[in-house]
Amino acid sequence: MSSVSSQPQFRYTQPPSKVLHLRNLPWECTEEELIELGKPFGTVVNTKCNVGANRNQAFIEFEDLNQAIQMISYYASSSEPAQVRGKTVYLQYSNRQEIVNNKTTADVVGNVLLVTIEGDDARMVSIDVLHVVFSAFGFVHKITTFEKTAGYQALVQFSDAETATSSKNALDGRSIPRYLLPEQVGQCSLKITYSAHTDLTVKFQSHRSRDYTNMYLPVAPSAIDSTGQVIVGVDGKKMEPESNVLLASIENMQYAVTLDVLHMVFAAFGEVQKIAMFDKNGGLQALIQYQDVQTAMVAKEALEGHCIYDGGFCKLHITYSRHTDLSIKVNNDRSRDYTMPNPPVPMPQQPGQNPNAGNPQQYHAAGGSHHQQQQPPPQGGWGQGSMGMDGGHNPYMAPPSSGPMHQGPPGGHMPPQHYGGPGPVH
């Protein structure tokens, strides 16, 4: 019988009992973790958590004696010790036959609440949303979020136990209001108990922890961009600083997307000053520069998740770029400065050079020749004003009729569909 450490894992002086005593547990061990540990051996009917001077001991009570004996016997003969969160747990029979007083930490009233967020999208609930929810009952001092076996959890510290109790009674078992959650996040509910903590330690302001009593606390480097701006957003992710330049990534490219097509799409919201296209990570991306941030914001809001071609083809994912003024040295089929009255003529292409050599079939039309001459700015279809801010045309282009990668009529644009409201997102 092997021993995993110098400290005995088992004590045999006690007669068998359906109540087991566990030692060396991790801090703030939960009832769920104890039940999970005993589940392979039987039904755990009662627990007592966080006992002892260091709050690292617990008791679990099985439904019958044989289940407790089975657990002790298994770990006594196994080379793998019982573990919770990577810590070896020491087991022995308790000198009691049942847990009479199950007043756990969760029953002891305190000013810090342990909140478990339940739901498929629980991890997408941001610390800012939690702050809004709990601030309705009083001043929130601190919040920390973390992930454990029980799921995505948070500790919320109030000034006093009365405020915490009021919050717990009102919110336990309730769902977070839909209007506080991003569209893509499903319903999330709150399971709330009291925590043994009385004062949380927060070393940095970040998307995982906040101290609302100390505005001078340093911000975690992971929550700062290169300009020094704090970019923690309300969705718990890094916030994009708004910019007049958009970065568009295009996926599901069944048809060619030319510079003129992009100009038609984005010019519907305002004057496009510059566009630069490039290949990255096996896909096509483009930088689109507007005159001001407001126009870029409107375009981003309207086009994010929409498709250039009807049928779900060439879907746009749009973020703000850190650029503010693109450097376009020459106008060609991959970059263009629409503010230049006399654009430079592209240098003759050397034999064997191909700006799209990395993926020749992805951006070329079948038999097309759009790399051989500049396309004129569009005059119809998706021209400026065809999809203005007051409505107009659907932000879609009819897919080419002759199959994938077809360029369509000269000018590189397709007739838009007409509609009475925003088009669906594919």
Side-chain angles (χ1 to χ4, degrees):
M1 193 179 304
S2 61
S3 176
V4 296
S5 71
S6 59
Q7 183 177 6
Q9 188 178 5
F10 302 99
R11 295 177 182 172
Y12 300 100
T13 56
Q14 295 291 343
S17 167
K18 61 182 180 180
V19 178
L20 302 183
H21 178 210
L22 286 66
R23 296 173 291 118
N24 198 44
L25 289 163
W27 174 257
E28 198 81 8
C29 182
T30 65
E31 181 182 24
E32 289 83 359
E33 290 175 309
L34 296 178
I35 293 174
E36 193 69 25
L37 183 64
K39 186 185 295 184
F41 307 97
T43 303
V44 176
V45 296
N46 213 345
T47 65
K48 188 180 178 77
C49 310
N50 302 297
V51 299
N54 295 321
R55 310 188 68 82
N56 64 346
Q57 301 180 46
F59 295 92
I60 60 174
E61 179 182 341
F62 281 98
E63 191 173 36
D64 63 59
L65 179 62
N66 289 332
Q67 295 172 350
I69 293 174
Q70 185 179 359
M71 184 173 184
I72 289 289
S73 300
Y74 175 82
Y75 285 115
S77 60
S78 173
S79 59
E80 296 294 329
Q83 291 189 335
V84 174
R85 278 187 251 152
K87 289 194 68 174
T88 297
V89 178
Y90 303 106
L91 309 173
Q92 68 184 76
Y93 293 116
S94 172
N95 57 7
R96 64 185 76 185
Q97 294 301 311
E98 63 178 342
I99 299 176
V100 178
N101 180 16
N102 189 31
K103 190 172 185 179
T104 65
T105 303
D107 301 312
V108 179
V109 176
N111 66 313
V112 179
L113 299 177
L114 174 62
V115 182
T116 302
I117 299 95
E118 299 179 331
D120 293 338
D121 299 321
R123 287 164 180 78
M124 297 182 69
V125 176
S126 72
I127 198 170
D128 292 304
V129 168
L130 294 175
H131 183 253
V132 170
V133 170
F134 286 91
S135 291
F137 301 89
F139 179 66
V140 174
H141 284 225
K142 302 172 185 177
I143 300 179
T144 62
T145 62
F146 47 91
E147 294 188 35
K148 286 191 175 181
T149 306
Y152 182 57
Q153 296 182 309
L155 290 168
V156 182
Q157 179 180 331
F158 286 100
S159 304
D160 50 64
E162 289 76 17
T163 308
T165 300
S166 174
S167 172
K168 176 180 180 297
N169 292 340
L171 296 174
D172 188 21
R174 301 286 296 274
S175 296
I176 298 174
R178 280 292 329 159
Y179 68 87
L180 292 177
L181 300 173
E183 284 186 14
Q184 70 273 20
V185 177
Q187 180 176 315
C188 296
S189 58
L190 303 173
K191 179 183 177 183
I192 305 174
T193 59
Y194 293 106
S195 169
H197 294 284
T198 56
D199 188 18
L200 304 178
T201 300
V202 176
K203 297 181 179 180
F204 296 98
Q205 309 281 24
S206 73
H207 66 290
R208 300 302 297 268
S209 62
R210 297 283 175 85
D211 184 344
Y212 301 97
T213 67
N214 184 4
M215 294 299 103
Y216 298 101
L217 199 66
V219 178
S222 61
I224 303 179
D225 72 356
S226 60
T227 67
Q229 289 181 277
V230 179
I231 53 174
V232 176
V234 294
D235 59 354
K237 301 178 181 179
K238 293 183 180 180
M239 185 190 305
E240 301 173 283
E242 294 167 351
S243 169
N244 66 311
V245 178
L246 299 177
L247 172 62
S249 301
I250 305 169
E251 66 176 37
N252 195 20
M253 281 195 55
Q254 298 297 315
Y255 305 107
V257 175
T258 65
L259 187 143
D260 288 328
V261 167
L262 288 176
H263 183 266
M264 284 185 279
V265 171
F266 286 89
F269 301 91
E271 181 185 355
V272 172
Q273 294 185 328
K274 302 175 184 179
I275 298 180
M277 299 170 58
F278 53 94
D279 299 317
K280 187 173 182 180
N281 299 328
L284 178 65
Q285 296 187 347
L287 291 167
I288 299 95
Q289 178 178 328
Y290 287 103
Q291 184 175 4
D292 52 63
V293 174
Q294 288 72 23
T295 306
M297 290 172 60
V298 172
K300 179 180 182 296
E301 181 70 20
L303 293 174
E304 167 59 28
H306 283 256
C307 303
I308 296 176
Y309 294 108
D310 198 4
F313 301 121
C314 302
K315 187 174 182 178
L316 292 169
H317 288 294
I318 304 174
T319 59
Y320 293 109
S321 170
R322 293 185 180 180
H323 296 282
T324 56
D325 188 18
L326 303 180
S327 176
I328 306 295
K329 297 181 178 179
V330 63
N331 282 2
N332 55 30
D333 59 352
R334 301 284 282 183
S335 62
R336 192 165 302 172
D337 184 345
Y338 297 94
T339 66
M340 297 177 65
N342 298 306
V345 178
M347 295 295 292
Q349 186 170 307
Q350 297 297 321
Q353 290 184 342
N354 187 341
N356 296 297
N359 195 353
Q361 295 185 359
Q362 187 171 6
Y363 307 121
H364 288 262
S369 59
H370 71 280
H371 290 290
Q372 297 177 8
Q373 59 182 359
Q374 280 187 232
Q375 300 290 349
Q379 300 300 320
W382 272 71
Q384 291 191 18
S386 66
M387 197 179 83
M389 294 168 59
D390 58 344
H393 296 292
N394 189 357
Y396 291 85
M397 305 177 77
S401 58
S402 60
M405 312 317 295
H406 181 69
Q407 288 286 329
H413 56 274
M414 309 295 170
Q417 295 180 333
H418 293 269
Y419 79 125
V425 177
H426 292 280

